[in-house]
Every structure is written in structure tokens, then in C-alpha cells.
Amino acid sequence: MKKTIFCILISSIIVMFSACHQKNKIEPVQYPETKKCDTIDHYFGTAVPDPYRWLEDDYSEETANWVKAQNAVTQKFMSQIPYREQMKKHLMEIMNYPKEGAPWKKGDRYFFYRNDGLQNQSVLYYKNSLDGEAVELLDPNKLSDDGTVALSTLGISDDGNYLGYAISRNGSDWQEIYVKNIATGEVLDDHLVWVKFSGIAWKDDGFFYSRFPEPKNELSGVNENGKLYYHKVGTDQKADQLAYEDRTNPDLSFSAEVVNKRYLVIYGSESTSGNCLYFKDLKNPKAQFVKVVTDFTDDYSVVDEIDGQLIVMTNHDAPEYKVISIPMDNPAPANWKDLIPASKEVLAGVSHIGKRLIANYTKDARSLVRIFDESGKLLGNLDNEVIGTISGFAGEADDTETFYTVTSYITPATIYRYDIANNKSILYKKSEINFKSDEYVTEQKFFTSKDGTKVPMFITHKKGIKMDGSNPTLLYGYGGFNISLTPGFSVTRIAWLEQGGVLAVANLRGGGEYGKKWHEAGTKMKKQNVFDDCIAAAEYLIAQGYTNKDKLALQGGSNGGLLVGAVVNQRPDLFAVAIPQVGVMDAALPQVHHWPLLGRGLRHQRG
């Protein structure tokens, strides 16, 4: 999987260099003719042609031949670029550096991920102390000979003695859960199947997980009648105890977590947003689930339990999110209280560690971390403010330390140990990549979209470039599904910057950068706002002298692929290169122009 993604990234950057620099004489792209059928759907009285419906059968020989023909076009184009192998070699060199994730503590052990440089999947290690020797716990690269098995999720028991981990085969959503004894390294006989969209929530010597009934066809079965089970280590799956089900709502999916080692919290969802919230006291054998929230209008996520109060992060009456306290003995909404009120910044996550509430905000798509006490009183900010993304802060209420990671467009992951009581960050691990980040700069600019909305954009480039409109520029966008594009490090983008390219990442509406309203302003009948924002970003880059229409490339994946498809058809005069990667291209778009396209994948969903 990683090899495929790497090849796509290499191809993307080479296409950008080729088209934007225009130093090579390359034959024009001639796409093979694609058959059209007469399929027509009728929606609310409107006839919608779908002439390429036949391509949705990705098992047919006809579709396979179409894919081969498209790949042949791409390979012919790529083979004409003389510096392709040189660029590939350089990317491999700069990508080959050790990468390590922030550690987290369970029991008496510290756990962390490490990648030696070019491993397909990072390896899980543990240490008995911070300065102790690293012991390999699980190497996902050894789970299969051909690299088709991936580690999908894991959970470590509270005492740090057991590792529960889930794998997926061949990219499937179906998961299989195994258990490993951490001290001995032995993989136990436990093997759970027909698991999907599940976490691993430990309680004592077992864990809660979600599974579906065995399907008649695992490739085409629907996700119905999901149930929550408890599995005790050392027993057969057939003996697992049913923890929760809802026979009246077969379309609901459930996930669970154990809070404060005592309370089982259940989330139920119908779609990608909005969830119900139930809890149960596991110390009371006769306890029933308390249904705190029963609709699916807003999002609720339990942070912890403090003195009989559920501490919950939610966007209920707070588009930018807030933290509330819910009395567990009387959880009616009338008794909810704001613990950390909503602010103009978007609350992205909260951790309860060392008697502190560590709140991670997004301010203009950048991280800002504030520290509160358990009563919600603001104590101050984290002593590390950057134009970047801060993540991490795993731990327990009585821990004295935690770890977090800082990254930006020009800085790879840097890990800090945070002394909670003293609000002090200590450098723990710095990247060893061979890249001179001090020679580059990231600026945040705001441009005006078609309807007057101010939209932020990060622009990264070498220091001292001339604003004469001659710089090859890559504009990246997404604008959907409440996903925020915050600063992050990418080796392929570094290769682009090293060659004098400009990287622009626009925070379009439809994302989550400014909360619920920002997201909804780019959805459904307002989807055109996303395309208008992207067009305005391109116009800004040209007007400000960063680039010109002959040296501007537009890139996006999935929902961002749809963005590229729509924008380059609405404004073909703005771009030299279009890279729609695995785009959801069901939207009815005008006649597609013959662009240097990469990632022209099959549609992977409808609607």
C-alpha cells in the first residue's frame, strides 16, 4: 500500500515539474476513447445521465482493459521525462530517515512507534523507562510476505500487560483481533473475526469491541445489526458476552470506551456526524445503561469522569465546540453546565492529565493549546506556540508528564516531554532528516472569495524568492467532511520546495477550520462556495506575483479530487496542471478538458 502511494506521489511531483517548468518536449496526451452507455437516473423529476456506469463494475474484463489503457497513457507520458529516475532517487534519499512518534504510558511501560526510514508500516516498541532499551513489540511488516496486511487499531490493557491489535487484509474494512502477552511476546490463541469499525476498550483482563453478524458475502454485505461484545482473554469468541445491541435500529454502529477504569461509555452513530451517548457503571452488576443523549443532532465525546461528573466535549449549542459537565446521577440536559465555554477558536481535542484539562484549539488552522484546571479555570497556554500542528497529550488523570508532537510544512515531527505541574516543555526527540528548514518560510495569507468571505491560505517557499510571477506553484485543497488542513510535513512537498516551487494550501469552506458553520457553508446546495474559494486562491497567487497561469498546478484527493475536477472545468484558464487523485467524480461536470491528469481513478462512491 505504501509503495503504491509513494509511486503516486513521485508521479505527481514529476508531472508538476514537467508541466510547470516546461523544459521538455513531451508529446501531447491522447486519451483512449471511453465507451458511453445510455444509463439515466431520475431524481425528483430530473433526468441525470450516467454514461459511465459500466465502469463501476471493477471486476469486469471490460473495466480491467479500460484501466490498462489509461495506465498505458500515463506510463508513456512519464517515460518521456528525462529526470524521472533522478527525482525518484532523491526522494528515496530524503525520505530515508528515522521517524518516531510521541510515547504514551500504560502501566509501567512507555509505548511508541518507530520507522527506520523506508518501512511500509511503523513498528510498535516499548521501554521500561524513558532512557531504557527499546523492545520490539509488534512489526506489522512481518504480518504478511506481500505487504497486504495492515495494522488497523490497537489497545493496551491498563496494567500494560496485554496488547490487543486488529489487522485488515487486502485493504478490507473487516478486521481480525489478536492478543499478545507483552512481557513474553507470545501471541495468544485469541482470534476475533467479523469485526468492523471497532476500537479495543480494555477492562480488567478483557476488552469491549464491535462486530457484525457473519455476512453471506463479505465483499458486498451491508453494515447492519452491529453489536458490542466483551471478550475475556484466553476464551473462544463464541463465549464473548453481548454488552449492547439495538434491535430496533439495525443501521446504527456502536463504539465503546472505558472511562476511569469503571464506566462503559457507548457511542451510537447513523452517519459521519452526530451521535447518541450512553454509559453504565461496571462496578454495579445490576446497573443498566443510562441514556444521556438519544438523538444524532450533535457530536459528544467523553473526556473523563471527575467526581461523579462526565466531562464531555461537544458542539451542542456550540459550533466551535466546548466542554461541559454532566452529573451522572441526573444527566438531564437541564443539569448540564459549561466547564470550558466555546470561544472563537475551534476546540479540536481535550485530555485530562495530571489534574489538568489540556485543550487543543485550532486558531486560523494553526494549533493553540490552553491549560485549565478541573474546575474549568484558565491557567495559561502551553509554553510552545508555533505556526504548525500540535498533537499528542495521552495519559491518565494522575500522571505528572505527557508527550506531544509539533510539525509544520517545513519542520518534521519534533517530540516534547511536557512537565504538567510546571507548564514546561522539554525537547525529547528531534528529527534527523537532512533538510535545512531555516532556508524556508511559511506565511499565512487571507484572500477574499467570490461572496466576500475571508479565507486563509498557508504559503511556503524558499526565503527571498522574487514575486515576479515566475515561480512554479502547487495549490492544494480539500474543502469537505469537516476536515481541517493544518500544517504538516511531507517529503514530496520538500522536494518541490527544494527545486524553487511554491506550496500553497488553502483552507476552503467545507472543512472544519472554523467549526460547524464553516463546514456547512461548503456542503450540499452550498458546495459551489468550495469551488469559488479555490478559484479565488488561484487568482490571489497570480495577482500577488507568486506565479502565473502557465506555472500553477492544482492538486486534491478524494473529495479534493472532486474539487480539482470541478474547478479546472469552471476555470480552465487558471491552471497548467490538474491532479485529481481518487476523485469522487459523480457530480455532473462540463466536458472535461485534456489536462496532464494523474490519479484518474474509478469513482469509489455514488451520490
Side-chain angles (χ1 to χ4, degrees), residues 109-123:
R109 296 184 174 96
Y110 293 89
F111 298 86
F112 63 97
Y113 285 101
R114 176 189 289 168
N115 190 306
D116 291 341
L118 296 177
Q119 291 173 292
N120 284 333
Q121 300 182 66
S122 294
V123 180

Side-chain angles (χ1 to χ4, degrees), residues 160-469:
N161 291 332
Y162 291 108
L163 166 70
Y165 62 96
I167 66 170
S168 64
R169 302 181 188 275
N170 301 310
S172 173
D173 287 333
W174 289 111
Q175 300 171 313
E176 301 171 43
I177 296 180
Y178 295 87
V179 178
K180 195 169 193 177
N181 183 306
I182 294 176
T184 65
E186 176 190 5
V187 178
L188 307 182
D189 292 335
D190 305 66
H191 180 209
L192 313 184
V193 296
W194 306 124
V195 180
K196 186 182 286 190
F197 313 131
S198 177
I200 298 174
W202 282 91
K203 177 67 173 75
D204 300 329
D205 57 352
F207 54 86
F208 295 92
Y209 71 100
S210 304
R211 82 168 191 245
F212 290 86
E214 181 178 351
K216 294 181 180 179
N217 186 325
E218 64 179 283
L219 296 177
S220 60
V222 294
N223 299 321
E224 290 183 342
N225 301 308
K227 301 176 183 180
L228 190 70
Y229 286 88
Y230 178 78
H231 174 78
K232 186 175 181 179
V233 173
T235 63
D236 189 272
Q237 185 176 18
K238 294 178 181 179
D240 289 354
Q241 302 173 18
L242 177 65
Y244 190 81
E245 67 174 328
D246 188 342
R247 295 182 180 181
T248 62
N249 295 290
D251 292 332
L252 288 184
S253 296
F254 294 100
S255 60
E257 63 177 317
V258 177
V259 175
N260 206 5
K261 302 178 183 179
R262 175 176 176 176
Y263 299 100
L264 174 61
V265 174
I266 292 181
Y267 306 99
S269 59
E270 294 179 316
S271 62
T272 57
S273 63
N275 63 272
C276 61
L277 172 62
Y278 313 152
F279 76 87
K280 178 180 180 180
D281 187 351
L282 296 174
K283 280 192 175 182
N284 182 357
K286 297 181 180 180
Q288 301 295 315
F289 278 101
V290 178
K291 296 187 176 183
V292 182
V293 179
T294 57
D295 61 23
F296 306 92
T297 304
D298 301 306
D299 298 300
Y300 300 85
S301 177
V302 175
V303 178
D304 209 343
E305 176 268 338
I306 301 177
D307 299 330
Q309 303 277 328
L310 275 185
I311 310 303
V312 179
M313 175 177 156
T314 180
N315 58 2
H316 174 71
D317 293 334
E320 291 79 24
Y321 286 87
K322 62 182 178 181
V323 178
I324 62 175
S325 62
I326 300 176
M328 301 176 74
D329 58 353
N330 192 1
N335 299 317
W336 299 0
K337 293 182 180 180
D338 286 358
L339 188 63
I340 302 177
S343 68
K344 61 182 179 179
E345 292 82 27
V346 178
L347 181 60
V350 183
S351 300
H352 181 217
I353 310 173
K355 307 299 182 182
R356 300 284 189 268
L357 293 172
I358 303 176
N360 199 334
Y361 290 86
T362 299
K363 180 181 181 181
D364 295 328
R366 305 181 296 182
S367 289
L368 170 65
V369 179
R370 293 176 176 143
I371 313 299
F372 299 83
D373 67 14
E374 292 181 329
S375 69
K377 178 184 177 181
L378 177 64
L379 302 177
N381 295 339
L382 183 75
D383 64 326
N384 194 339
E385 295 188 20
V386 296
I387 301 180
T389 300
I390 301 175
S391 59
F393 305 109
E396 306 294 337
D398 55 357
D399 287 345
T400 60
E401 64 179 359
T402 186
F403 298 82
Y404 66 91
T405 299
V406 177
T407 186
S408 72
Y409 290 113
I410 56 177
T411 307
T414 303
I415 305 171
Y416 292 87
R417 175 183 169 271
Y418 179 53
D419 180 343
I420 298 172
N422 296 307
N423 188 32
K424 184 177 181 180
S425 296
I426 302 100
L427 179 64
Y428 174 73
K429 186 81 66 173
K430 191 173 183 180
S431 170
E432 301 174 13
I433 189 173
N434 183 21
F435 172 67
K436 299 178 180 178
S437 60
D438 58 351
E439 296 181 1
Y440 300 82
V441 63
T442 295
E443 303 171 298
Q444 187 174 47
K445 302 292 184 179
F446 290 81
F447 60 88
T448 304
S449 191
K450 183 178 181 179
D451 63 356
T453 300
K454 295 293 184 182
V455 182
M457 177 164 55
F458 292 104
I459 304 176
T460 305
H461 53 77
K462 279 185 177 180
K463 293 179 179 178
I465 66 169
K466 295 180 180 180
M467 298 297 186
D468 57 4

